[in-house]
């Protein structure tokens, strides 16, 4: 049993999680949770033991100086609590970490133990994948769940994905087996400009989270960062006629596929968001207490700012045609000689031999979404 000390009784708590690595193309998802933590001044109350879940040759610790004293930061997963005020106050439990190297079932058990003790009513896991989507169009964000009832009540897709998965898929299924409602939100990042940061995809994830949990999220400089990012990629793409032609092809395919949806619910949702932001109600700073992380898991062994935009990559001749896929992102590994964390990027499978950023190795697919149609996080 996990005993939490110093954490106040929570109001309608929602756990929001994201993990760096295979499920985090462009660092879009982990940056979204980091944004929530920063804007609402979250305070860390627990951290999982790095020794239990991480291979330090893959995710290396870092050494830094604090007043002349050398200290070590270990790769791990941390939890914080923020309280959001307003007409309908509620609390968020933020989970930020790196995809674990091992013992995934125990990892999920421990997170669910915290969710159980805190009375979490919903788990939202955010991820990002690489897809055949143009940077000039709104970022597609798919919401998926393994719960048929939840899919109906929250207007989500019921996942049908089969294949390799990442920690996002494993955690979602662990929630399902534990009887905890869980949703995965997936943003599609253009594969030809996949290097982080991608503020446009981060912004899209936060907008979808805002709609999902009916909570106004302060966006800070993200909208401006997203505009600057797109302008920079526009300029870089315009310098290469082949890239510009490829982007135009993606635009035409995307516009054709989504033309029937250019009205109705999508427009109504954007208008409602505009009204919420115009009418205000800024969130006060969140608060959180410290707690111990001792105790055992309750779930049994279940299966299952701104910077210069990155250079657009030249597409290959056999590019994919559509704006997404029905599978999970493809893993990429970028281990630096200095031993920083492993940096993985999602890749939308099912898109044939579509171009991918230089240096991205072939690898199995992970997390489970789809770009615009049937996402699939399992």
């Amino acid at each position: 049993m996990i005993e939490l000390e110093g954490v106040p009784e929570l109001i309608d708590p929602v756990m929001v999680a994201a993990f760096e690595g295979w499920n985090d193309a462009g660092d879009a998802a982990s940056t979204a949770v980091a944004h929530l933590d920063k804007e609402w001044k979250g305070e860390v109350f627990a951290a999982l033991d790095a020794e239990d879940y991480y291979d330090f040759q893959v995710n290396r610790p870092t050494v830094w100086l604090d007043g002349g004293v050398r200290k070590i930061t270990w790769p791990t997963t941390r939890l914080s609590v923020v309280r959001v005020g307003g007409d309908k106050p509620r609390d968020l439990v933020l989970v930020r970490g790196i995809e674990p190297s091992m013992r995934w079932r125990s990892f999920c058990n421990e997170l669910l133990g915290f969710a159980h003790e805190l009375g979490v009513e919903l788990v939202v896991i955010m991820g990002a994948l690489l897809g055949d989507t143009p940077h000039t169009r709104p970022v597609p964000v798919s919401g998926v769940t393994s719960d048929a009832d939840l899919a109906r009540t929250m207007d989500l897709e019921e996942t049908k994905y089969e294949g390799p998965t990442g920690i996002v898929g494993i955690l979602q299924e662990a929630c399902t087996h534990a009887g905890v409602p869980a949703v995965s939100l997936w943003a599609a990042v253009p594969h030809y400009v996949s290097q982080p940061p991608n503020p446009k995809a981060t912004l899209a994830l936060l907008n979808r989270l805002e709609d999902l949990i009916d909570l106004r999220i302060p966006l800070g400089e993200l909208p401006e960062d997203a505009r600057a990012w797109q302008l920079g990629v526009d300029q870089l793409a315009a310098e290469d006629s082949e890239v510009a032609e490829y982007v135009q092809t993606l635009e035409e395919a995307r516009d054709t596929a989504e033309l029937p949806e250019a009205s109705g619910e999508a427009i109504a949702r954007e208008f409602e968001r505009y009204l919420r932001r115009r009418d205000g109600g800024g969130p006060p700073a969140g608060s959180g207490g410290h707690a111990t992380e001792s105790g055992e898991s309750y779930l049994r062994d279940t299966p299952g700012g701104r910077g210069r935009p990155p250079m657009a990559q030249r597409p290959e001749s056999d590019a994919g045609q559509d704006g997404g896929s029905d599978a999970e992102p493809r893993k990429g590994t970028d281990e630096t000689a200095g031993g920083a964390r492993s940096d993985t990027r999602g890749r939308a499978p099912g898109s044939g031999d579509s171009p991918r950023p230089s240096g991205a190795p072939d690898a199995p697919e992970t997390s489970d979404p789809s770009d615009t149609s049937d996402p699939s996080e399992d």
Side-chain angles (χ1 to χ4, degrees):
M1 182 67 68
I2 296 176
E3 298 179 1
L4 301 179
E5 299 174 358
V7 178
E9 184 176 352
L10 304 186
I11 302 172
D12 300 329
V14 173
M15 178 177 280
V16 181
F19 303 94
E20 300 172 10
W22 210 10
N23 305 141
D24 193 24
D27 290 354
S30 57
T31 302
V33 175
H35 177 86
L36 296 175
D37 192 70
K38 177 184 176 182
E39 291 294 326
W40 282 323
K41 299 177 174 58
E43 188 173 350
V44 174
F45 68 87
L48 305 191
D49 190 342
E51 290 280 346
D52 290 340
Y53 306 115
Y54 294 98
D55 179 347
F56 299 140
Q57 290 182 325
V58 175
N59 298 287
R60 293 185 179 272
T62 57
V63 179
W64 55 287
L65 292 176
D66 181 14
V69 179
R70 293 173 65 83
K71 295 188 176 181
I72 298 176
T73 299
W74 297 93
T76 188
T77 294
R78 296 177 173 85
L79 294 87
S80 58
V81 173
V82 298
R83 174 150 293 172
V84 184
D87 296 336
K88 295 187 294 183
R90 78 180 316 167
D91 296 312
L92 298 183
V93 179
L94 304 180
V95 179
R96 294 174 58 195
I98 304 171
E99 182 177 64
S101 307
M102 52 199 166
R103 301 185 65 210
W104 284 16
R105 288 176 291 189
S106 297
F107 180 87
C108 293
N109 287 346
E110 192 163 354
L111 289 181
L112 284 169
F114 282 108
H116 175 73
E117 288 298 305
L118 294 168
V120 167
E121 299 178 348
L122 175 69
V123 175
V124 181
I125 317 162
M126 294 195 286
L129 67 145
L130 298 183
D132 296 325
T133 182
H135 72 276
T136 53
R137 296 294 185 264
V139 176
V141 178
S142 303
V144 297
T145 181
S146 299
D147 188 322
D149 293 333
L150 198 62
R152 288 192 297 271
T153 57
M154 302 190 76
D155 190 25
L156 302 166
E157 294 288 338
E158 186 177 358
T159 180
K160 302 296 184 183
Y161 172 76
E162 296 179 321
T165 189
I167 193 60
V168 172
I170 298 300
L171 180 56
Q172 170 142 357
E173 288 310 303
C175 289
T176 300
H177 285 284
V180 179
V183 175
S184 296
L185 299 181
W186 287 97
V189 171
H191 63 80
Y192 57 89
V193 58
S194 62
Q195 299 92 329
N198 190 317
K200 187 173 181 178
T202 295
L203 180 61
L205 280 169
L206 291 175
N207 283 337
R208 185 62 188 272
L209 177 66
E210 188 176 61
D211 294 337
L212 185 71
I213 63 178
D214 191 24
L215 186 68
R216 181 176 180 267
I217 297 174
L219 299 178
E221 297 182 353
L222 266 178
E224 183 180 350
D225 290 345
R227 285 190 292 269
W229 177 87
Q230 180 166 325
L231 178 60
V233 178
D234 284 343
Q235 294 171 345
L236 292 171
E239 296 173 0
D240 190 312
S241 59
E242 291 185 31
V243 172
E245 182 179 354
Y246 177 66
V247 171
Q248 183 178 2
T249 301
L250 293 179
E251 290 173 339
E252 292 171 353
R254 173 77 179 273
D255 293 344
T256 300
E258 295 192 349
L259 186 61
E261 301 176 7
S263 59
E265 291 186 7
I267 293 178
R269 185 163 52 247
E270 289 300 319
F271 185 63
E272 289 171 359
R273 182 181 297 120
Y274 162 75
L275 291 179
R276 280 200 304 270
R277 296 200 172 281
R278 186 191 65 176
D279 295 339
S287 61
H290 293 279
T292 64
E293 50 182 297
S294 59
E296 59 185 31
S297 55
Y298 77 103
L299 178 64
R300 291 189 179 275
D301 197 28
T302 55
R306 188 182 321 165
R308 184 177 185 275
M311 287 295 295
Q313 304 295 321
R314 181 187 300 272
E316 300 170 4
S317 58
D318 51 348
Q321 295 91 11
D322 58 19
S325 76
D326 290 338
E328 304 197 342
R330 174 165 302 182
K331 167 183 164 187
T333 306
D334 197 23
E335 182 73 15
T336 62
R341 64 176 173 80
S342 66
D343 194 318
T344 54
R345 303 288 171 258
R347 173 74 179 106
S351 54
D353 294 327
S354 55
R356 69 176 175 275
S358 60
D362 290 331
E365 327 259 58
T366 70
S367 289
D368 70 33
S370 130
D371 177 335
T372 55
S373 55
D374 178 63
S376 45
E377 176 40 40
D378 220 359

